[in-house]
Amino acid sequence: MKIAYRTQAVATGGRDGRAETKDGSYSVNLAVPKEMGGTGAGNNPEQLFAAGYAACFLGALKFVAGKEKIRIPDDATVTSTVGIGPRDDDTGFGLEVALEVNLPGIDRATAEDLVNKAHVVCPYSHATRGNIDVRLSVV
């Protein structure tokens, strides 16, 4: 694979710490969510993953739509819901993802086709395929 872009981020303190990109363009305070026994006074890795996946998936939608000469509306959205919990085998934690896609003005059949194609193109989808449950829906 020919790499087009690389970035680096550094985390300190784990889930109760900080993370920032090496170039200084992004910095975030991290905290364990209240639901997992923490203070919730910061962001957590699942929120960051949800934001990244949503943005990446919308980019993949625009890419596949462009190949088919379909314009994705400016108000299109992807809502990514990420869940974390103990794995059934009791050896660690696992994730699940639900991607809810809203493509106003695009008929349902076309939207579903674009979503399925974007799921092949999106690098987040590719990285998670076979590892975590990812559910897709069009609203």
Side-chain angles (χ1 to χ4, degrees):
M1 176 171 76
K2 181 181 174 187
I3 302 298
Y5 170 74
R6 279 193 174 88
T7 189
Q8 290 183 308
V10 177
T12 57
R15 288 181 166 271
D16 272 318
R18 267 190 88 54
E20 61 187 40
T21 56
K22 284 281 217 164
D23 67 5
S25 64
Y26 178 75
S27 178
V28 63
N29 290 320
L30 301 171
V32 175
K34 288 181 181 179
E35 297 85 350
M36 293 176 66
T39 66
N43 293 105
N44 61 67
E46 292 70 39
Q47 290 171 320
L48 304 177
F49 183 67
Y53 203 159
C56 188
F57 199 85
L58 186 52
L61 275 166
K62 289 180 176 184
F63 177 82
V64 298
K67 286 186 158 230
E68 297 187 20
K69 308 291 189 240
I70 298 170
R71 186 183 170 284
I72 296 294
D74 292 340
D75 57 347
T77 60
V78 174
T79 301
S80 174
T81 303
V82 174
I84 184 172
R87 292 195 309 254
D88 292 336
D89 64 8
D90 258 348
T91 60
F93 296 89
L95 298 173
E96 68 170 16
V97 175
L99 299 176
E100 183 180 279
V101 180
N102 183 12
L103 298 173
I106 296 180
D107 68 88
R108 183 170 204 76
T110 301
E112 288 175 348
D113 183 56
L114 291 172
V115 164
N116 289 328
K117 288 175 179 173
H119 195 44
V120 172
V121 170
C122 176
Y124 278 60
S125 292
H126 181 74
T128 60
R129 190 167 290 110
N131 296 311
I132 65 174
D133 181 29
V134 176
R135 295 178 312 280
L136 306 172
S137 64
V138 174
V139 293

